[in-house]
């Protein structure tokens, strides 16, 4: 697959075939993420691979619950636009994907968000090059309960930055509308 095709094929996928992703393939994809740049080559990211759909559903419910609680305290938050979906008990924020990867890292690392985002991009492109689909699920990052954090294995002092779902897509949608680059000045 040439680079342009790879760029076009990396779409957010929210509908998956009923097919597991072999753990070896997930491990190969995570190996590729090690090539991502990180500040001072700090490589702070740690990964949690979740393939148990029951656990994923409980994580979805926990995240929905916490987002709705936050919304109750701040009714004008941008999250308001997702309120109806979040109130729907049948809504799985992870779209019933066969695999979820949490990119986490030590919360004291100042560049954690940027490092994790670059790592996530490598993950998404590596997956796309293998015919797999991904989607960053910001709605699935709000895990706070001690018990569920312990069960999920989020290391002490680490926080979840990027929840990425992974699976074989039913279809690759065409690229959504993009505006041209906003080049402010050429000097
Ligand atoms: C930080 C971040 C958070 C996102 N959170 C969600 C989410 O919670 N649910 C979802 O369906 N898509 C989510 N997305 C996917 C975006 O909606 C998607 O990338 C955007 O619409 C562009 O579409 P494309 O990825 O197919 O190019 C998120 C993307 C990013 C980068």
């Amino acid at each position: 697959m040439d680079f342009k095709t790879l760029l076009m094929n990396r779409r957010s996928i929210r509908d998956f075939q009923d097919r597991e992703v072999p753990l070896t393939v997930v491990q190969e994809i995570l190996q590729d993420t090690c090539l991502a740049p990180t500040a001072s080559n700090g490589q702070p990211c740690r990964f949690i691979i979740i393939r148990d759909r029951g656990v994923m559903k409980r994580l979805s419910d926990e995240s929905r619950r916490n987002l709705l609680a936050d919304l109750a305290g701040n009714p004008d938050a941008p999250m308001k636009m997702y309120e109806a979906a979040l109130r729907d008990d049948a809504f799985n924020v992870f779209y019933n994907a066969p695999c979820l990867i949490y990119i986490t890292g030590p919360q004291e690392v100042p560049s954690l968000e940027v490092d994790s985002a670059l790592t996530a991009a490598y993950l998404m492109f590596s997956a796309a090059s293998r015919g797999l689909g991904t989607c960053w699920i910001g709605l699935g990052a709000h895990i706070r309960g001690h018990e569920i954090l312990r069960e999920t294995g989020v290391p002490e002092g680490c926080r979840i930055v990027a929840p990425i779902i992974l699976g074989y897509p039913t279809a690759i949608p065409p690229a959504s509308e993009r505006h041209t680059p906003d080049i402010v000045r050429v000097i």
Side-chain angles (χ1 to χ4, degrees), residues 10-12 14 93 95 135-140 176 178:
R10 197 259 358 122
R11 300 260 63 81
S12 287
R14 301 178 177 90
V93 299
Y95 302 105
C135 186
W136 183 318
I137 304 291
L139 293 181
S176 48
R178 299 295 211 260

Side-chain angles (χ1 to χ4, degrees), residues 50 52-60 94 97-100:
I50 300 159
D52 182 314
R53 289 170 196 256
V55 172
M56 253 187 268
K57 180 70 171 82
R58 278 193 284 124
L59 289 164
S60 168
F94 302 120
C99 183
L100 163 68

